[in-house]
Amino acid sequence: MNLYCIPYAGCSARVYDSWQQHLPDHVTVVPLELPGRGSRCVEEPIDELPALLEDLYRQLDTGTSYALFGHSYGALIAFELARLVHSEGARRPSALLVSASRAPRLPAADADSHRLSDAELVERLAALGGTPKELLENEELMEIYLPVIRADYRILGAYGTGTPGTVDCPITAFYGDADDEADLPSVEAWADYTNGPFRVERIPGDHFFLHSAERELVAAVEAACTQGALS
C-alpha cells in the first residue's frame, strides 16, 4: 500500500521523511510535496484549491492500493483529493486519515490569517508553535516562507463551511488530547463525511503531535491502513 502524506500549512512534505523507518515494508510512505516548498521550492505556491488538487492528483498512482493522510490543513486537502478521485472515477483510497483537523463544516482556526500583516502573521505562527524559532527570526528566510504560508491560508480562507459531499472510504480521525485548535467534538464531526466506517483515535500532545508523538501516531496510522485494506 502507498501511504500518500500531505503536510500542514506552510510545511514541506519532508516532515514525513522519518515515517518509513517505523512502518513495515508493505506500506510505502509517499510524501506529496506542494509547490513552493521542499524539492519544489523554485515553483510558485498555489493559492487556489482546484489547481492544487489537480497538481496533487497527478502525483497519485490509483492503480494500486493506497491511503491518504493529512495533518491539520493537509487533512482538508486530503479529503478534497479523495472527493476528486471519486469524481474522476478512479480507484478510491482504502482509507482517509485526517489528523489534527476540524471537520469541513467547522470554521478553520486560521481562516483569516492570510489577511494579517507580515508582523502579525509571524506573531500568529509563533503562537501556534509549529514553525521553528530559527526560521521565524531569520528575515531572509521569512521573505521566502511567508508567501508559501499565505497561499495555504488563502485556500483555508476561501474554503468556507458547510462543504457538501462525502467519501466512499473509511475515515480515521486522529486528535491530540491537549489540542486547542481541533478538540475531540470538532474531530468527531468528521463522521458525517464518510459513507463507510468511522473511527477516532486519541494521540498524546497538542496540535503538533505529529512531531512530539510521531511513533504513537505512525503506529495508529499503520493500524488504520491495515483495517482499511481489509474493509
Side-chain angles (χ1 to χ4, degrees), residues 122-203:
V122 170
E123 185 177 339
R124 169 64 176 158
L125 294 172
L128 281 174
T131 307
K133 182 179 179 181
E134 296 78 12
L135 174 57
L136 292 173
E137 294 178 349
N138 188 312
E139 293 184 7
E140 291 184 359
L141 289 179
M142 288 304 291
E143 288 182 6
I144 300 172
Y145 179 71
L146 286 177
V148 172
I149 191 71
R150 283 191 187 281
D152 292 347
Y153 282 159
R154 284 192 190 100
I155 289 177
L156 272 179
Y159 191 71
T161 59
T163 302
T166 57
V167 293
D168 292 322
C169 63
I171 291 181
T172 298
F174 306 97
Y175 77 100
D177 57 12
D179 186 358
D180 295 329
E181 300 287 326
D183 59 10
L184 178 57
S186 68
V187 172
E188 287 178 324
W190 274 101
D192 297 336
Y193 291 86
T194 177
N195 298 319
F198 175 76
R199 296 174 65 238
V200 174
E201 293 282 348
R202 182 185 67 84
I203 305 293

